[in-house]
Amino acid sequence: MADPTDDPMREATLGTRRIFEGRALTIDILDIRMPDGRKTTREVLRHRGAVCVLGELPDGRFVLVRQYRKAVEQTLLECVAGCMEEGETPEQSARRETREESGHDVLTLTPLGRSLPAPGYCDEVHHHFHARLRDAPAGQRLDTDENLVPIPLTADEIQSAIDTGALTDGKTIILWHLYLRAKAAGRL
């Protein structure tokens, strides 16, 4: 990979002001100099990163979750996902989140890639995984602020939900397409 400091489009950071620090994210205002010398600011939401997991049961169904999202005032159909904890690897986080949200233990975990959900204003990275799950659920271990329900779906049901707009969550759509590409390439 090329050295990012050699990028002719790179914007130099001249200063940073933290204007918000919360439990899951912070917001910084960056004073920057553009390559042509103009100065301006960038608002950057800082996030520790997250994992997105497509858990597959032995019968070939996939465990997604229904979860109410206050920001959009809707219950969404999504993949298992969650923030990485301090010091966790993406793999450790994926195993933990899968158990917490789906109730199933992971047998095998395959990385499918990474994505940047909103690079115009956020530094968050999503780590995408396919997981083969144990058949019998051991029970969810939801965080105290979580409210979600696991939903097992077939591949056709997931594809139909995307096609009809019943599944609109971006990370889940990206994960589904990464899964389909990995499966077609014989990596799963």
Side-chain angles (χ1 to χ4, degrees), residues 103-120:
H104 291 270
D105 289 320
V106 173
L107 295 172
T108 63
L109 193 62
T110 304
L112 298 178
R114 299 179 333 142
S115 66
L116 305 172

Side-chain angles (χ1 to χ4, degrees), residues 64-67 75-79 149 151 153 157-158 161-162 166-172:
L64 274 62
V65 297
R66 286 210 183 281
Q67 183 169 4
T75 299
L76 299 180
L77 182 60
E78 306 178 17
C79 61
V149 177
I151 307 288
L153 297 171
E157 289 170 327
I158 293 171
I162 293 170
L167 193 164
T168 57
D169 177 62
K171 69 184 175 299
T172 305

Side-chain angles (χ1 to χ4, degrees), residues 76-98:
L76 299 180
L77 182 60
E78 306 178 17
C79 61
V80 165
C83 295
M84 295 174 57
E85 298 292 338
E86 182 98 20
E88 270 186 330
T89 66
E91 291 79 8
Q92 290 168 328
S93 183
R95 288 178 183 279
R96 178 183 52 75
E97 285 291 342
T98 301

Side-chain angles (χ1 to χ4, degrees), residues 16-19 26-30 42-44 46:
T16 302
R17 295 179 308 285
R18 175 130 314 149
I19 63 167
T26 59
I27 301 174
D28 291 338
I29 304 294
L30 281 62
R42 300 283 186 243
E43 300 166 355
V44 179
R46 306 282 185 193

Side-chain angles (χ1 to χ4, degrees), residues 6-68:
D6 292 337
D7 184 348
M9 295 188 69
R10 186 171 188 272
E11 298 174 346
T13 301
L14 305 173
T16 302
R17 295 179 308 285
R18 175 130 314 149
I19 63 167
F20 176 79
E21 189 160 355
R23 182 176 54 91
L25 54 93
T26 59
I27 301 174
D28 291 338
I29 304 294
L30 281 62
D31 298 311
I32 63 112
R33 183 178 54 246
M34 297 172 68
D36 65 3
R38 290 180 291 153
K39 293 181 180 178
T40 190
T41 60
R42 300 283 186 243
E43 300 166 355
V44 179
L45 185 137
R46 306 282 185 193
H47 189 282
R48 64 180 170 263
V51 294
C52 308
V53 183
L54 183 64
E56 187 173 359
L57 295 166
D59 67 6
R61 292 180 302 155
F62 300 90
V63 179
L64 274 62
V65 297
R66 286 210 183 281
Q67 183 169 4
Y68 189 80

